[in-house]
Amino acid sequence: MSSRESHGLLHPAGSPEDAWWRHAVIYQVYPRSFADADGDGVGDLAGVLSRLDHLTSLGVDALWLSPFYPSPQVDGGYDVSDYCGVDPVFGTLAGARHLVATAHERGLRVLVDLVPNHTSDAHPWFVAALASAPGSPERARYLFRDGRGDHGELPPNNWRSIFGGTAWARITEPDGTPGQWYLHLFDPHQPDLDWSNLQVRADFLDILRFWLDLGVDGFRVDVAHSMVKAEGLPDWDEPVRMIGGAEHSSPQEAPAPMFDQEGVHEIIRSWRRLLDSCPGERAMVAEAWVEPADRLARYVRPDEMHQTFNFPFLTAGWDAEALRKVIIDSYVADDAVGAATTWVLSNHDVVRHASRFGMPDPTGRPNGIGARDPQPDAALGLRRARAATTLMLALPGSAYLYQGEELGLPDHTTLDDDLRQDPTYRRTHGVELGRDGCRIPMPWSAGAPALGFSPTGRTWLPQPAMYHDLAVDRQDGHPGSTLELYRELLRVRRERGLGWGSLTWYAPLADRPDVLAFHNGEVLVIANLGTRPAPMPEDTHVLVSSTPEAPTDQIAPDTAVWLVSAS
Ligand code: TEU
């Protein structure tokens, strides 16, 4: 045991002078569902601009915008048909530039989404590939292969799409004959690029440069672990595990041939060199569903990404032992490579944590909840969600928030099946309901049409009745509301320097495996995930409590508190 560990110190302190992303709280905006300025029922960039005050009053450091690029919107914009533009449904390029500049004036950094694994099938590169002959440079941008079988009628290998079904689609050649197949790890409308192609690499460097020149502070990189596929595209007989949106091979074994290949790191390094050549502190965060933690940490070595999302934290469930292990593994792995750890509980791909933690099995990770499923206990889910966030925002490092979690929003868990838009639902024939439930338009004003989301009352997905009482204007200024809790957590986090702080386990509660307790500097954090109360340490007072009423002598189940010494 190192001297660090023998004193319970898991993670040493940083400093407020550290690069911004090492301790930032970053708010994810899903533009389709944030705020709709023009009234067509789909959120837009003008809507984001009009609501920047919400982010500054919340106290976040940065926002990450999910894709707003031209796209047929088959997968909520993760099917990009022009990487250097703005879809008319979201606004204009001038509007994007104005949004970035205005956010900067308000002290907010801006990350944009980069989607390098695949394009839309409407992208001119893919249209040109279809119109060109097998073996042409146009086809070489993508993973076209001849089929197996006597007449090429069988897919080139046995890979499965992450959205269900085969990962291959057969095309009709320009002369009208049945032709080659192309790989799509996601929807058939999202053909995978071939990253061994130097043109693809050069084009993406130009795309990054375009947005860096426009002024963005960096990128969230979509499925950053899948760009490179194993040589020869070998069959993969193991099931590609898909648990609540996660997909990875067994951590102990070689990675699946479509994920976490060594060649990915070379691409990431080329991007890092570009970012480092730009003025300011530009940053990249990898969306990489890679386990275990030391394997994931290879993406954040000093010349690679700045951050990765911490999905093991998100998928650990409401379970103190599992969370403790993730916290330890994350710091040990990230500290070993000098990277800042990140934390996240919700995003646009998973059931919101206010719903997950209210399920009969709060460690489960459903891919959508529907009207025929057991319904979450809303009050219990919200209570635990508030405690989980209180725990998360006390952890040194950077944290990601997903729009609406500051209101305690649950998923829409009774959405009509015929309104579902996530391609997962269709491709799995309804076995997986998909992610629409976590992508519902935001409620801003309880009395307004579409709860203030859109001036006309139109919404691309309906809001559940429960959102009425959770609207921003119902919580703003109300002590004890979830919105005020988030504001308070972010204010105290900043005031006490928790983001760049340290973590030392608190020994007196070591006999309570169902309780997480640690010091971050002078703040003692106690989260009770068990079923019986935990004792309140003597001579302390409560700085922030996840419950509307601060506890006095005992910390009730499903509660987290930040304490300081009373003396
Ligand atoms: O997600 C990557 C991904 O593999 C999963 O989280 C996926 O959403 C899940 O398996 C669904 O069943 C990213 C984006 O975050 C997601 O929204 C996109 O759909 C996907 O890539 C494709 O671009």
Side-chain angles (χ1 to χ4, degrees), residues 547-558:
T547 49
E549 297 292 326
T552 45
D553 53 340
Q554 289 195 316
I555 302 163
D558 303 319

Side-chain angles (χ1 to χ4, degrees), residues 75 78 118 162-163 220 222-223 245 247 287 348-349 435:
D75 183 23
Y78 284 92
H118 45 266
I162 290 158
F163 288 165
R220 175 266 187 190
D222 194 57
V223 276
E247 82 284 339
E287 188 220 15
H348 67 295
D349 287 334
R435 302 160 293 175

Side-chain angles (χ1 to χ4, degrees), residues 44-184:
D44 43 44
L45 297 184
V48 180
L49 186 72
S50 73
R51 297 291 185 184
L52 282 181
D53 286 350
H54 178 68
L55 304 192
T56 50
S57 77
L58 189 58
V60 298
D61 303 291
L63 61 147
W64 144 38
L65 292 161
S66 278
F68 50 77
Y69 315 113
S71 160
Q73 304 291 336
V74 170
D75 183 23
Y78 284 92
D79 48 321
V80 180
S81 56
D82 173 5
Y83 287 94
C84 297
V86 173
D87 196 295
V89 81
F90 295 123
T92 62
L93 195 54
R97 190 174 280 115
H98 180 58
L99 175 60
V100 171
T102 310
H104 285 165
E105 281 164 21
R106 309 265 179 100
L108 294 167
R109 310 247 183 187
V110 182
L111 302 181
V112 293
D113 223 302
L114 184 74
V115 189
N117 179 70
H118 45 266
T119 69
S120 161
D121 62 348
H123 194 291
W125 297 336
F126 193 74
V127 174
L130 288 185
S132 304
S136 60
E138 288 81 3
R139 289 257 169 118
R141 281 180 179 278
Y142 293 90
L143 289 158
F144 280 92
R145 294 290 183 274
D146 293 332
R148 294 195 278 202
D150 291 344
H151 308 285
E153 71 281 11
L154 299 173
N157 72 20
N158 66 356
W159 294 6
R160 311 287 298 166
S161 156
I162 290 158
F163 288 165
T166 171
W168 294 92
R170 193 172 195 189
I171 66 159
T172 303
E173 296 295 347
D175 66 4
T177 56
Q180 287 194 299
W181 298 71
Y182 66 86
L183 179 72
H184 57 88

Side-chain angles (χ1 to χ4, degrees), residues 35 63 91 97 108 146 163 243 319 346-347 372 397 408 416 515 552:
L63 61 147
R97 190 174 280 115
L108 294 167
D146 293 332
F163 288 165
I243 308 173
D319 177 331
S346 282
N347 66 32
R372 288 180 297 275
D416 279 350
V515 172
T552 45

Side-chain angles (χ1 to χ4, degrees), residues 49-359:
L49 186 72
S50 73
R51 297 291 185 184
L52 282 181
D53 286 350
H54 178 68
L55 304 192
T56 50
S57 77
L58 189 58
V60 298
D61 303 291
L63 61 147
W64 144 38
L65 292 161
S66 278
F68 50 77
Y69 315 113
S71 160
Q73 304 291 336
V74 170
D75 183 23
Y78 284 92
D79 48 321
V80 180
S81 56
D82 173 5
Y83 287 94
C84 297
V86 173
D87 196 295
V89 81
F90 295 123
T92 62
L93 195 54
R97 190 174 280 115
H98 180 58
L99 175 60
V100 171
T102 310
H104 285 165
E105 281 164 21
R106 309 265 179 100
L108 294 167
R109 310 247 183 187
V110 182
L111 302 181
V112 293
D113 223 302
L114 184 74
V115 189
N117 179 70
H118 45 266
T119 69
S120 161
D121 62 348
H123 194 291
W125 297 336
F126 193 74
V127 174
L130 288 185
S132 304
S136 60
E138 288 81 3
R139 289 257 169 118
R141 281 180 179 278
Y142 293 90
L143 289 158
F144 280 92
R145 294 290 183 274
D146 293 332
R148 294 195 278 202
D150 291 344
H151 308 285
E153 71 281 11
L154 299 173
N157 72 20
N158 66 356
W159 294 6
R160 311 287 298 166
S161 156
I162 290 158
F163 288 165
T166 171
W168 294 92
R170 193 172 195 189
I171 66 159
T172 303
E173 296 295 347
D175 66 4
T177 56
Q180 287 194 299
W181 298 71
Y182 66 86
L183 179 72
H184 57 88
L185 286 186
F186 294 89
D187 193 81
H189 295 290
Q190 295 167 296
D192 279 47
L193 288 161
D194 184 348
W195 274 87
S196 67
N197 183 303
L198 297 183
Q199 193 60 48
V200 168
R201 293 186 185 219
D203 286 337
F204 266 84
L205 280 172
D206 288 344
I207 292 162
L208 268 87
R209 206 172 284 119
F210 176 86
W211 289 104
L212 291 166
D213 288 349
L214 188 136
V216 303
D217 298 280
F219 304 94
R220 175 266 187 190
V221 182
D222 194 57
V223 276
H225 60 312
S226 67
M227 288 171 280
V228 174
K229 279 79 182 178
E231 193 64 38
L233 309 181
D235 275 350
W236 177 249
D237 294 319
E238 304 274 324
V240 172
R241 268 207 289 143
M242 287 174 46
I243 308 173
E247 82 284 339
H248 33 229
S249 57
S250 156
Q252 308 317 328
E253 294 156 12
M258 65 294 273
F259 298 126
D260 197 24
Q261 300 295 306
E262 195 55 36
V264 154
H265 297 282
E266 187 187 320
I267 299 167
I268 293 172
R269 287 192 191 100
S270 73
W271 296 347
R272 178 63 183 257
R273 284 194 293 276
L274 174 61
L275 264 67
D276 285 350
S277 74
C278 294
E281 292 174 334
R282 317 288 178 116
M284 287 182 292
V285 54
E287 188 220 15
W289 296 83
V290 171
E291 286 183 340
D294 53 357
R295 186 87 196 165
L296 181 60
R298 299 173 81 246
Y299 287 77
V300 285
R301 290 176 289 194
D303 58 349
E304 299 201 32
M305 295 272 176
H306 301 76
Q307 299 182 331
T308 58
F309 289 116
N310 194 337
F311 293 127
F313 185 73
L314 185 154
T315 54
W318 190 240
D319 177 331
E321 302 222 46
L323 284 166
R324 184 181 292 106
K325 178 170 168 16
V326 172
I327 292 168
I328 293 171
D329 290 352
S330 303
Y331 284 124
V332 168
D334 287 330
D335 287 352
V337 293
T341 294
T342 70
W343 309 102
V344 64
L345 288 163
S346 282
N347 66 32
H348 67 295
D349 287 334
V350 300
V351 172
R352 288 174 174 277
H353 62 291
S355 295
R356 289 201 312 274
F357 295 154
M359 293 299 285

